[in-house]
């Protein structure tokens, strides 16, 4: 509908920007962040260098757009996986595995885009501030799962640190409340604070496990080894689920 309301000039600009981004992604897939060259993109499109800068102010502006798109696509994939997994009678532990596998599947299908958002694409590049909320959208579906947990001694120190983070940064509490409202309220009670801290600790720990395992697999570090990346990631998620007592009856 929005596209239909645009005039011909706006549609042409949008199409040209999309073509530039497609060519940039191809360069990234072929040679990584250092292969990104606006002059080569302009040549392939039959544009002059100055003409290209009418669509993107420079390399970093183009990288910003690519990173925003990648985060948004990854977040959409995670949201779809969470919605599918929530249907039926699947337990929390099974849903954790579903989300982890969805994250891995997206990364393997889009390795150059995954590395773009999980590493430093080019030396000296600093991602825009708005990518923080986009990154949180990728991890958001994990929050309600860990809000149901009963964190054990192995993660107690992390939960304590997340409790302090929630108290110090209101944006973090708002993030938890958006994805796991049952964990955030009533926030000023010990039970509410404990659920929010469990949710946050679990999501952060899931992120570190996902990033470590998936990054190694995407970078080809498992080549020549006998295990599957999914098997290794599944083991990480099982240990994390055990640490948070997911699907276990209260003692």
């Amino acid at each position: 509908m929005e596209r239909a309301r645009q005039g011909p000039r706006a549609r042409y600009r949008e199409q040209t920007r999309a073509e530039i981004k497609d060519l940039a992604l191809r360069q990234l897939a072929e040679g990584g962040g250092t292969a990104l060259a606006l002059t080569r993109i302009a040549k392939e499109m039959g544009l002059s260098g100055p003409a290209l800068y009418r669509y993107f102010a420079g390399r970093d502006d183009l990288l910003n757009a690519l990173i925003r798109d990648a985060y948004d696509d990854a977040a959409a994939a995670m949201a779809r996986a969470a919605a599918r997994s929530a249907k039926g009678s699947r337990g929390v532990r099974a849903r954790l595995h579903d989300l982890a596998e969805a994250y891995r599947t997206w990364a393997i299908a889009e390795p150059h885009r995954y590395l773009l958002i999980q590493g430093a694409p080019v030396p000296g590049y600093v991602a825009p501030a708005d990518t923080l909320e986009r990154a949180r959208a990728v991890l958001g579906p994990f929050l309600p799962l860990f809000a149901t947990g009963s964190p054990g001694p192995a993660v107690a120190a992390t939960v304590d640190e997340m409790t302090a983070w929630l108290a110090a940064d209101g944006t973090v509490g708002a993030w938890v409340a958006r994805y796991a409202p049952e964990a955030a309220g009533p926030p000023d009670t010990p039970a509410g604070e404990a659920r929010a801290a469990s949710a946050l600790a679990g999501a952060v720990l899931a992120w570190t496990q996902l990033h470590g395992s998936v990054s190694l697999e995407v970078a080809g570090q498992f080549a020549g080894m006998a295990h599957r990346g999914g098997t290794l990631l599944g083991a990480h998620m099982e240990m994390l689920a055990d640490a948070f007592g997911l699907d276990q009856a209260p003692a």
Side-chain angles (χ1 to χ4, degrees):
M1 184 67 69
E2 179 63 29
R3 184 179 176 83
R5 286 197 296 264
Q6 292 179 337
R9 182 174 295 181
R11 287 197 298 271
Y12 176 76
R13 177 177 177 80
E14 183 180 309
Q15 291 166 2
T16 303
R17 281 176 59 89
E19 186 177 352
I20 292 169
K21 289 192 287 186
D22 286 343
L23 289 170
L25 286 173
R26 191 176 75 191
Q27 290 183 357
L28 290 171
E30 291 171 352
T34 56
L36 186 61
L38 272 66
T39 53
R40 186 152 61 93
I41 292 173
K43 184 177 180 180
E44 288 192 48
M45 294 183 65
L47 297 173
S48 67
L52 190 70
Y53 287 96
R54 290 204 296 266
Y55 300 96
F56 292 98
R59 182 205 63 183
D60 285 4
D61 189 32
L62 177 54
L63 280 172
N64 291 346
L66 296 176
I67 287 172
R68 290 185 180 109
D69 287 350
Y71 270 125
D72 290 347
D73 285 355
M78 296 303 294
R80 289 192 298 269
R84 287 194 304 268
S85 186
K87 295 179 180 178
S89 57
R90 291 179 68 73
V92 175
R93 186 177 294 247
R95 290 165 61 191
L96 174 62
H97 282 285
D98 291 343
L99 290 182
E101 186 55 33
Y103 184 94
R104 174 177 172 266
T105 297
W106 184 86
I108 291 173
E110 306 271 5
H112 53 294
R113 300 180 79 200
Y114 173 78
L115 293 173
L116 187 65
I117 63 176
Q118 293 297 344
V122 291
Y125 172 76
V126 178
D130 62 22
T131 56
L132 175 59
E133 285 303 310
R134 288 176 158 89
R136 286 177 175 176
V138 177
L139 292 179
F142 288 94
L143 290 165
L145 305 185
F146 288 100
T148 69
S150 299
V155 294
T158 302
V159 172
D160 288 344
E161 291 176 357
M162 296 302 106
T163 300
W165 190 18
L166 284 162
D169 188 340
T171 68
V172 178
W175 173 42
V176 175
R178 185 162 65 251
Y179 287 91
E182 70 283 0
D188 296 327
T189 66
E193 291 174 355
R195 285 192 299 270
S198 177
L200 186 57
V204 170
L205 287 167
W207 169 61
T208 62
Q209 298 293 332
L210 289 163
H211 179 51
S213 181
V214 172
S215 293
L216 288 170
E217 184 176 8
V218 167
Q221 296 298 314
F222 295 158
M225 302 177 73
H227 69 277
R228 290 177 56 254
T231 304
L232 185 65
L233 184 59
H236 283 303
M237 293 302 105
E238 275 297 299
M239 290 187 284
L240 194 56
D242 286 343
F244 279 84
L246 299 186
D247 284 342
Q248 292 180 5

